[in-house]
Amino acid sequence: MIDLALGVAHILIYRAGAANWKLAFILDLDKESNIPSWYSSIQWFSVAALLGLFAFHNFSFSQRKSWLLMMLPTVFLAFSMDEVAQVHEWLGTESDRFLPDASRKNILFSRTGIWMFLIGVPFLALFIALILSLRTYFRGAPGALVKMLLGMAIFLAGAIGIETLANFVVPRSLYFMIQVFSEELCEMLGSTIVLWGSYELLYRHGFAYRLDKVETTGE
């Protein structure tokens, strides 16, 4: 619900024009260090915290896969930091050195650069490999796995797929507004669904088990 509300706010401030520039700064989905970006950062941090508890509860020095399990919250903690520190934007700028004359001016992806191919696609492959390696931990909560994968699919569709469309629309045009709205809404909605899945995973395998044990033993 908050995701949609922030999306609608973006459309309203866009329609209002420059008269409300202060409001635009704190609500515009295309800006950084404002309410939408901090909201997304909190969402990913919550995912990292829940999965960190799950990883801690299931960690074992003798099981190699449990070491991989510790990587899962680390991924989402990095997402949370990126929303504030704008790491992928910096990496995107750094990746320009691989372009002819180290410039985006004469390429098809003049607005975004090529970070989607150098960073986004490899990350997608590694994330899928990580989830497949940890699928045994999801056997008792298949719905949690579905939610997490669906959320990540929606998130990456916005972050990699729809963001690419920014190269083909005129800045500050109606199509640009629609592109930004669609991209950021997908990212926020995706993080929300991943958060639901993370909570369900923790509930099914972590705290729910302990509560059942207390009720059964009468402790």
Side-chain angles (χ1 to χ4, degrees), residues 46-47 50-51 54 137-148 192-209:
S46 299
V47 171
L50 291 175
L51 293 178
F54 177 75
Y137 291 98
F138 293 90
R139 287 179 179 174
L145 179 59
V146 170
K147 289 183 179 68
M148 292 182 67
T192 297
I193 297 175
V194 173
L195 180 58
W196 292 346
S198 303
Y199 172 79
E200 183 176 336
L201 180 67
L202 186 66
Y203 177 81
R204 298 290 184 186
H205 288 281
F207 292 108
Y209 169 76

Side-chain angles (χ1 to χ4, degrees), residues 109 112 116-117 158-168 179 183:
F109 306 101
T112 62
M116 303 88 66
F117 308 104
I160 299 177
I162 299 178
E163 181 170 351
T164 304
L165 298 178
N167 298 286
F168 309 103
Q179 180 268 322
E183 174 195 339

Side-chain angles (χ1 to χ4, degrees), residues 32 36-49 72-88 155 191:
E32 304 293 342
S37 61
W38 280 102
Y39 169 73
S40 295
S41 179
I42 292 171
Q43 288 272 86
W44 289 126
F45 182 83
S46 299
V47 171
L72 204 54
T74 304
V75 169
F76 295 108
L77 182 60
F79 280 7
S80 176
M81 295 173 60
D82 179 61
E83 290 291 343
V84 178
Q86 304 172 38
V87 177
H88 86 270
F155 169 76
S191 65

Side-chain angles (χ1 to χ4, degrees), residues 108-165:
L108 188 61
F109 306 101
S110 58
R111 178 176 171 81
T112 62
I114 56 174
W115 77 267
M116 303 88 66
F117 308 104
L118 295 181
I119 302 172
V121 174
F123 167 79
L124 177 60
L126 291 173
F127 183 80
I128 292 174
L130 178 62
I131 290 296
L132 290 176
S133 300
L134 299 174
R135 61 185 181 277
T136 54
Y137 291 98
F138 293 90
R139 287 179 179 174
L145 179 59
V146 170
K147 289 183 179 68
M148 292 182 67
L149 290 177
L150 176 61
M152 284 299 295
I154 294 173
F155 169 76
L156 292 174
I160 299 177
I162 299 178
E163 181 170 351
T164 304
L165 298 178

Side-chain angles (χ1 to χ4, degrees), residues 53-72:
L53 289 172
F54 177 75
F56 177 78
H57 180 62
N58 290 277
F59 181 77
S60 173
F61 283 100
S62 60
Q63 295 181 358
R64 291 183 179 180
K65 286 188 177 181
S66 68
W67 289 86
L68 286 176
L69 190 61
M70 301 298 291
M71 294 180 61
L72 204 54

